[in-house]
Amino acid sequence: MKLNLQKNFFTETKKELISHGAFSIKAFRYSSGVEALEIENSKCSFIFTPFKGQQIWHLKVNGEEISMQTTVKEPTASPVYLKNYGGFMYHCGVISFGAPDAEHPQHGEIPNEIYNSAYIACSEDEGGKYILLGGELLHDTAFVRKYRFAPEIKLYEDSSIFKINVTLENQRAYPLEYMYLCHINFRPFDGAKIISTAQYDNVTVYKSEGTKALTDYMDAVEKNPAIMDIVGADGQCYDPEICFGLTYNTDENNRAYSMQYTENGACFVSHPADVLPYGIRWISRTENEDAMGIVLPATGEHLGYQNAVNKGQIKILGANETLNFYMEAGWIEKDCANKVREKIEKING
């Protein structure tokens, strides 16, 4: 069953749209005017904005929120990235992402774009009952570019892992420059351990001005990246933020793995390192923000369009060609986390 969403489905009064197995999907509209779906299954709950950027907000697993904390508590109608920045997952790109300039907004045009269409689909396969959340964004600038960006999220009724599929279609008879980053924002858990297939002999610390404590810590991480692996360890400083550039060891399918591992389970990301060869680890811990981007999978560094041009990080999609790739992000229970830990250890050798 597939339901094509219409904006008149959403009002200030929350109402149930779909019940499917353990899934409950309710529609409502924030006071800002942003349409939203409140979705629950047996493991997790979250907010999804089907028309505004197809963002995920307020991811809770077993009642505990595991997405980052900022001062922005709910989706807003603003197209300005930081004025709508409190969610768990944002698609960034396609013309650019990262640092803004006069022609390129922060993290590109798609994080806060209004989608042309959106849908919910419900079905069942060998893995059980699931839902699909998807939509289509059509970008058409005469004589310049025309593309279709169509993400889709699959979630099973007893799972807290989002299976994120992204399709980018170049609809012109000329090559399309593109950049992409998936901004996945967990909450830090003090005492957790960051475990991943990142290559620590090839870490870039993106240094910025700050307090002496911040400068000293950036210098220390540059010498020994492993000191960041225990979350909340003495001497760490992420105020206002630090970004690290990473490349990854991969499995036989060119996939990389990252976890924020706790005694109860793990925040988890898997991404295709052949399509998204750069990983940005972004951490912010202030009086007002708490964010653990264990990996933001990307086509290049987060330093903006011109940096990508200068360093050959712009990707090209051929005339009328289509790109498709797949990521996973969310929470895995303890037994699964231990299996992933063993897999990571095997990949790293």
Side-chain angles (χ1 to χ4, degrees), residues 47-116:
I47 300 296
F48 183 70
T49 60
F51 290 105
K52 185 177 175 63
Q54 298 237 318
Q55 304 162 1
I56 298 173
W57 286 68
H58 296 304
L59 173 60
K60 295 181 181 180
V61 177
N62 299 322
E64 180 179 10
E65 183 151 356
I66 68 166
S67 45
M68 74 171 178
Q69 174 181 314
T70 77
T71 56
V72 181
K73 301 303 182 186
E74 63 181 45
T76 74
S78 175
V80 179
Y81 189 81
L82 292 182
K83 289 187 176 182
N84 192 53
Y85 193 51
F88 172 70
M89 191 279 293
Y90 297 79
H91 299 287
C92 301
V94 164
I95 300 170
S96 68
F97 69 75
D101 59 36
E103 297 181 0
H104 303 95
Q106 185 168 9
H107 282 312
E109 74 280 9
I110 65 172
N112 288 299
E113 278 278 34
I114 305 302
Y115 275 57
N116 299 81

Side-chain angles (χ1 to χ4, degrees), residues 50-285:
F51 290 105
K52 185 177 175 63
Q54 298 237 318
Q55 304 162 1
I56 298 173
W57 286 68
H58 296 304
L59 173 60
K60 295 181 181 180
V61 177
N62 299 322
E64 180 179 10
E65 183 151 356
I66 68 166
S67 45
M68 74 171 178
Q69 174 181 314
T70 77
T71 56
V72 181
K73 301 303 182 186
E74 63 181 45
T76 74
S78 175
V80 179
Y81 189 81
L82 292 182
K83 289 187 176 182
N84 192 53
Y85 193 51
F88 172 70
M89 191 279 293
Y90 297 79
H91 299 287
C92 301
V94 164
I95 300 170
S96 68
F97 69 75
D101 59 36
E103 297 181 0
H104 303 95
Q106 185 168 9
H107 282 312
E109 74 280 9
I110 65 172
N112 288 299
E113 278 278 34
I114 305 302
Y115 275 57
N116 299 81
S117 63
Y119 61 85
I120 307 168
C122 303
S123 191
E124 185 174 3
D125 61 18
E126 65 278 2
K129 289 185 171 65
Y130 66 85
I131 60 170
L132 299 174
L133 304 168
E136 185 174 79
L137 173 64
L138 301 174
H139 177 106
D140 192 359
T141 303
F143 299 100
V144 180
R145 69 181 64 83
K146 182 179 182 181
Y147 68 75
R148 181 178 71 93
F149 182 78
E152 186 175 71
I153 293 170
K154 183 176 185 179
L155 178 68
Y156 284 95
E157 65 177 341
D158 60 351
S159 174
S160 47
I161 285 290
F162 299 106
K163 299 177 182 294
I164 305 165
N165 191 72
V166 172
T167 299
L168 175 63
E169 179 185 353
N170 179 12
Q171 296 188 335
R172 277 177 59 83
Y174 302 92
L176 171 72
E177 289 187 347
Y178 73 91
M179 300 173 64
Y180 177 84
L181 175 143
C182 192
H183 224 300
I184 304 165
N185 308 311
F186 293 100
R187 183 163 298 188
F189 292 95
D190 287 335
K193 182 175 177 61
I194 298 176
I195 302 173
S196 76
T197 59
Q199 300 172 346
Y200 272 11
D201 58 350
N202 186 29
V203 176
T204 301
V205 181
Y206 296 101
K207 294 186 176 182
S208 57
E209 294 183 3
T211 63
K212 184 177 186 302
L214 180 66
T215 300
D216 289 348
Y217 184 60
M218 288 189 290
D219 290 343
V221 172
E222 197 168 47
K223 295 176 182 176
N224 179 18
I227 66 171
M228 68 173 122
D229 282 353
I230 303 300
V231 179
D234 290 345
Q236 291 182 354
C237 181
Y238 299 109
D239 186 351
E241 63 180 1
I242 301 182
C243 290
F244 311 95
L246 304 168
T247 55
Y248 289 81
N249 299 317
T250 64
D251 66 11
E252 64 278 7
N253 296 312
N254 289 316
R255 298 198 67 82
Y257 300 88
S258 302
M259 294 194 297
Q260 182 184 197
Y261 180 91
T262 77
E263 62 181 10
N264 299 315
C267 302
F268 171 79
V269 178
S270 167
H271 73 274
D274 51 345
V275 180
L276 305 173
Y278 290 82
I280 308 301
R281 182 171 295 167
W282 168 71
I283 305 173
S284 176
R285 307 202 72 178

Side-chain angles (χ1 to χ4, degrees), residues 16-48:
E16 187 164 68
L17 276 184
I18 294 174
S19 178
H20 175 59
F23 284 105
S24 170
I25 303 177
K26 298 175 182 178
F28 69 100
R29 180 184 292 123
Y30 283 101
S31 59
S32 65
V34 174
E35 299 87 1
L37 298 171
E38 181 183 82
I39 301 173
E40 297 183 13
N41 67 10
S42 64
K43 293 287 187 181
C44 67
S45 65
F46 60 98
I47 300 296
F48 183 70

